[in-house]
């Protein structure tokens, strides 16, 4: 089961992990900005999912190389600068971060992954970063998970942690940062997940790919793709338990879903969390395409901000896709009220209550049996003003 | 040459056209809301470009059928309601509009096109519409172009007209509505272009397709595609002049460009008009794909609102495309200042002055010789607030 009370599980909840979060001085706010997570084993299996953006940040390139052998012993993360679009100098900085961590922990540099988040196109102040790494490695502790989670925040208003304790004796812990739609620096999402289960790297990679596919990949806050997105899984094997792959994947997916919902609900400026669910598609892929098209409609998101169940904007977005459907067969419901039936006017839209933060938009394509949900937020204010007030 | 002084050319500037704009009572504001444009010949060649949205409004379906034979004698247009997603009843309403116009002007109904703009998913008050059509047809005049242009406005702050007088003695006149990014009802764009040149329908269709391809199709205000977009060309042949196709196409393109820029500059809430130009692409198609990706980045558009030449967000958008380029070879200039060179930090971003309304973003891919420009606007306010202020 996923933990729902008590102190939240974090990256140091599973056995075999130490972490720290310190203030290196990268943020003008003076808040903590540098974290290290250290897997002390006995195993060091690792899997990573990285941004598919072709303009990837230096730490992304470094991490891709570091994890190629399925082994990571530590991850160093900083907020206050993304080290993206920084050229060869930026690559050297990322390598220096890995090396400093490796030196402090007596590891090989290629067993250290690096994550950065913050503004694109500026160099990191490496003197401060290096001192911070030394400091963090000195303060690593088995209770350091919460400190680490705080140190990777940028515009997040809350630290984000989640986890899962399996009855069989193994545990997953995790932390994430990202403030959704309104996050600057392209809403970089960094996630570190730890477990004391025995999870060989190959299995971990499969599990992580599946878990992210149906959670983080379906969180579409503003259609913008970060240069720095990183989701890393570190497995220490310290519990000695080796769960069945399906069971581990399910637990990992639940933890990722929990974190994704925390990211969604911390999107700055947003007043609604919107779940766009497409049913009756001929394939899950087509369901995702349609849901994503709707979730990316600025006009619809403005309407939701204005508490207007504007199903016409839903249909207009559906109509831009190549998915299989008949325009005269589409149904659309807002919060359970079927305001559009057969591609035309359905229930009275005044029956829809959009005052709660959670909004569901359900679209029925009547083409097949597949379904999918994409989560997004509403759009607020001046852009909104014209769009949201139009029908009131 | 395109007219730059004197009263603006409009749909009644070419010989052979009458128009009217009247108040049918469809708008709560009490402003005029119904227009008719009548081609009195001697020729009645017509061409139309319609929205590619699969959820197309009833008048779009009707107009597609009406123009199939290359002949239109009149167009009836209303604001105050899009007649989209209105099912069979909406189709009947659109047919009734064509029939009422045909009856009043003694035409065949299938020689009348229909355009509607306004809210999606509500029926038109057909009693008011019918009376308005009768009224409009009674007041048609050779000076009615400006009245017609006003009657099709929704959230537009200005009527939009343009035209071209050729030395050879033929003329193009045009009107458009659409308020860009912030227009509700999906920013429906309606454009009627008239000419007294002899333009056989087949040639007119080719010319219109080319003109819209490089003008309206590259105006990407918010990525949302209307259910009602219509661009119609009516040719009366009244001048007796038959221009070479290339010459007519060039003049038509200039008129469409003029209208597109008027649409751009009337986008509500926008404080900047942004021209995203991609050069060095291996094909014009790839240049458009890259430029459109950048033009659709909410984060970039927020940065421009905040007068922040955030080239990192440009690169991040470029990186999401499949276009041919090397991430380490990209240059980006804002208003002529090359703030990114070789995919990394270039000139000091403080050298960029983003206070003028017009902003140019130039991206060099170094992959080929093709180029293209896509126009968009900035994003304003609360959504913006977090994104725009991040680096200040």
């Amino acid at each position: 089961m996923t933990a729902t009370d008590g102190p939240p599980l974090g990256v140091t909840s599973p056995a075999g992990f130490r972490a720290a979060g310190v203030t290196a001085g990268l943020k003008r706010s003076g808040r903590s900005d540098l974290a290290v997570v250290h897997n002390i084993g006995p195993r060091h299996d690792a899997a990573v999912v990285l941004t598919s953006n072709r303009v990837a940040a230096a730490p992304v390139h470094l991490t891709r190389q570091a994890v190629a052998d399925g082994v990571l012993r530590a991850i160093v993360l900083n907020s206050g600068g993304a080290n993206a679009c920084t050229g060869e100098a930026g690559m050297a900085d990322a390598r220096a971060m890995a090396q400093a961590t490796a030196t402090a922990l007596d590891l090989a540099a290629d067993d250290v992954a690096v994550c950065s988040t913050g503004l694109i196109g500026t160099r990191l102040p490496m003197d401060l970063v290096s001192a911070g790494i030394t400091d963090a490695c000195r303060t690593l502790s088995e209770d350091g998970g919460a400190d680490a989670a705080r140190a990777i925040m940028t515009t997040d208003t809350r630290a984000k942690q989640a986890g899962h304790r399996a009855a069989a004796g193994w545990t997953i812990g995790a932390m994430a940062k990202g403030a959704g739609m309104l996050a600057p620096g392209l809403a970089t999402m960094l996630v570190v997940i730890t477990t004391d289960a025995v999870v060989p790297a190959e299995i971990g990679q499969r599990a992580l790919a599946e878990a992210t596919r149906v959670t983080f990949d379906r969180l579409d806050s503003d259609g913008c793709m970060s240069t720095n997105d990183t989701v890393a899984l570190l497995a220490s094997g310290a519990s000695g338990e080796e769960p069945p792959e399906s069971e581990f994947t399910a637990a990992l997916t639940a933890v990722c879903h929990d974190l994704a919902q925390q990211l969604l609900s911390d999107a700055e400026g947003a007043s609604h969390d919107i779940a766009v669910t497409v049913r009756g598609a001929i394939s899950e892929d087509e369901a995702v395409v349609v849901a994503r098209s709707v979730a990316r409609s600025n006009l619809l998101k403005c309407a939701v901000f204005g508490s207007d169940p504007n199903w016409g904007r839903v249909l207009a977005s559906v109509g831009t896709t190549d998915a299989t459907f008949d325009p005269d067969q589409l149904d659309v419901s807002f919060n359970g009220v079927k305001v559009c039936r057969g591609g035309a006017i359905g229930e009275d839209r005044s029956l829809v209550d959009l005052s709660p933060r959670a909004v569901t938009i359900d679209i029925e394509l009547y083409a097949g049996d597949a379904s999918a949900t994409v989560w997004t937020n509403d759009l607020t204010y001046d852009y909104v003003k014209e769009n949201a007030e139009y029908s009131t």
Side-chain angles (χ1 to χ4, degrees), chain A:
Chain A
M1 74 191 167
T2 301
T4 52
D5 50 17
L9 296 173
V11 292
T12 50
S13 299
F17 291 92
R18 302 188 303 158
V22 301
T23 301
L26 312 177
K27 286 177 177 167
R28 291 181 202 179
S29 65
R31 297 201 174 141
S32 65
D33 47 26
L34 196 138
V36 171
V37 178
H38 183 203
N39 177 0
I40 56 180
R43 297 178 62 103
H44 305 91
D45 300 290
V48 167
V49 171
L50 299 165
T51 182
S52 56
N53 198 311
R54 292 170 60 198
V55 178
V60 168
H61 291 300
L62 182 142
T63 295
R64 181 177 289 118
Q65 293 162 10
V67 80
D69 61 356
V71 172
L72 288 177
R73 288 168 183 259
I75 301 184
V76 55
L77 311 93
N78 75 274
S79 50
N83 193 11
C85 305
T86 43
E88 258 312 307
M91 270 309 300
D93 291 343
R95 280 192 292 266
M97 287 177 68
Q99 184 59 60
T101 308
T103 300
L105 299 177
D106 197 18
L107 308 173
D110 65 4
D111 287 340
V112 180
V114 179
C115 298
S116 298
T117 178
L119 252 193
I120 298 179
T122 56
R123 295 278 305 278
L124 291 171
M126 284 305 294
D127 49 342
L128 298 177
V129 170
S130 298
I133 290 172
T134 305
D135 185 23
C137 289
R138 219 167 12 218
T139 55
L140 285 168
S141 103
E142 292 174 7
D143 303 316
D147 287 345
R150 275 189 293 273
I152 60 174
M153 293 166 61
T154 52
T155 57
D156 308 66
T157 64
R158 313 185 269 283
K160 296 163 183 74
Q161 298 183 88
H164 174 90
R165 283 200 195 284
W170 52 273
T171 299
I172 296 175
M175 66 180 185
K177 66 80 45 179
M181 175 171 71
L182 302 183
L186 293 168
T188 289
M189 184 187 78
L190 301 182
V191 180
V192 177
I193 305 165
T194 57
T195 183
D196 51 18
V198 175
V199 184
E202 188 186 336
I203 291 173
Q205 190 62 49
R206 268 203 304 268
L208 193 62
E210 172 60 16
T212 57
R213 187 180 75 83
V214 296
T215 57
F216 301 122
D217 283 353
R218 297 190 183 170
L219 190 63
D220 199 320
S221 50
D222 63 1
C224 292
M225 184 194 290
S226 167
T227 53
N228 290 58
D229 283 344
T230 302
V231 183
L233 170 68
L234 307 178
S236 71
S239 72
E241 298 292 332
E242 185 166 357
E245 182 173 343
S246 60
E247 189 181 329
F248 181 75
T249 302
L252 188 65
T253 302
V255 169
C256 290
H257 180 76
D258 185 339
L259 291 173
Q261 295 299 311
Q262 290 185 50
L263 293 168
L264 188 68
S265 69
D266 198 22
E268 302 136 13
S271 62
H272 292 90
D273 302 334
I274 308 170
V276 181
T277 299
V278 172
R279 298 194 173 83
I282 62 162
S283 68
E284 185 178 353
D285 282 354
E286 286 207 353
V288 171
V289 165
V290 173
R292 199 179 291 281
S293 171
V294 173
R296 285 188 177 176
S297 167
N298 280 349
L299 290 168
L300 172 66
K301 289 151 63 126
C302 291
V304 171
F305 172 69
S307 294
D308 170 19
N310 196 319
W311 57 268
R313 295 178 181 178
V314 174
L315 255 56
S317 292
V318 174
T320 64
T321 71
D322 293 330
T324 302
F325 65 84
D326 176 345
D328 294 326
Q329 296 289 322
L330 301 168
D331 292 350
V332 178
S333 300
F334 277 74
N335 285 354
V337 180
K338 194 171 286 189
V339 286
C340 169
R341 179 176 286 122
I345 305 160
E347 300 297 313
D348 189 331
R349 60 170 78 196
S350 69
L351 298 174
V352 180
D353 177 11
L354 290 180
S355 57
R357 184 174 174 101
V359 174
T360 61
I361 299 176
D362 293 286
I363 301 157
E364 172 63 59
L365 299 184
Y366 293 107
D369 296 321
S371 66
T373 299
V374 170
W375 290 272
T376 190
N377 296 107
D378 58 350
L379 262 184
T380 56
Y381 243 72
D382 213 15
Y383 173 85
V384 171
K385 208 169 174 182
E386 291 293 328
N387 285 287
E389 294 181 357
Y390 184 58
S391 70
T392 61

